Amino acid sequence: MLGFPAPVPFSVDRHGSGLQEDHVMCTVRPIAWAAAMCACLYTAVPATAATPSLADLLGGGTVQVDGLTFSNFKPLLAPVFPSDDVLLDAILYHPSSLSSMPLIDPSGGGVFSHAFGNAMPAAAGSIAVLPLAGNPADPGLRFDGPSTWSVNAGNIASLQVTGFFYDVTRNPSSGPLLSADLRQAVAGAVTVGPDSFPSDGLPDIALGGALQFVFDSSGQLIDGNATGDLFARFDIPGVLHPSPLHLSQLSSGFTFPAQDTVRVYNLIAVGASSGGEYTLGALDERYDPPMAPHSNNLGPWLPATFAVVPEPASLLLCAIGLGGLRLRCRRQA
């Protein structure tokens, strides 16, 4: 059992040399000073705030980073999502029907994530939101979700889709918003299914990617960013295990006319064909970073009249993910 040593009685020799008193005071004073210093430090240094999760922010939280306020976090996907078979059929054979499908809900009353095959929906509580601070020229947020932005397909092609939006507002003392930058972390884990010949010439794939759309205060689309990471293994006669083809674009950015506030839509897809897996570790989203104008942005691909409800964003996401995944869907007997 641990305990403090028993106190040692002492007396002060007021008629002698005074050495007893001096010794005691020399011992007690440093202890008192140390206790006072500890008390000062305890009261002067505030406790470090816990890192918020995306679930905390979706529940009404805000984040302040170097003169910017991030607020009004809401889920973006429609509560009732078309099945993967319906989406695949529309993408391949009836593209015009996609515009009428309920894929997103910009009112804020939607859901955070949908999943197909063996995938699980992403959990907002497992995504840490970290401030990208220290340089007032490019503040932003990191969305760190390696434990939840992950798909292990198993015996069937699987896909996870996540969507949320938030507002970015400059503080009165800071400059206007002038640009947006999206960066995707290198994959945390990748496995491409064992493609075998013949299989109709279609590849096994594993992928992760994100789309970002920025709107002005009137709801008009300004521009968009896209990142993606694709691994594919093709059927090659005579080669049992060819090396996967790897295509990636992990950063994208654009500049825009000065804004006091913008709304940002995020759509994230992670998936793999049967036998594969993919983990997307994190997304960095910065505002006003130094960059060349119109660097890998989506502007040239978007309609000029594209406004507040970006159905093409959802369609592009589904086309990239489901269009490739379900084509290689294989079920075990």
Side-chain angles (χ1 to χ4, degrees), residues 50-55 57 63 73 124 127-131 140-144:
T51 300
S53 70
L54 188 48
L57 299 178
V63 179
F73 288 78
I127 300 173
V129 181
L130 308 170
L141 297 176
R142 168 170 292 177
F143 298 94
D144 192 13

Side-chain angles (χ1 to χ4, degrees), residues 198-216:
S199 65
D200 301 323
L202 299 173
D204 272 305
I205 65 173
L207 63 86
L211 295 172
Q212 181 191 71
F213 295 91
V214 179
F215 297 83
D216 65 20

Side-chain angles (χ1 to χ4, degrees), residues 96-114:
S96 61
S97 68
L98 290 169
S99 61
S100 62
M101 288 185 177
L103 301 176
I104 67 169
D105 182 356
S107 71
V111 299
F112 179 67
S113 184
H114 286 290

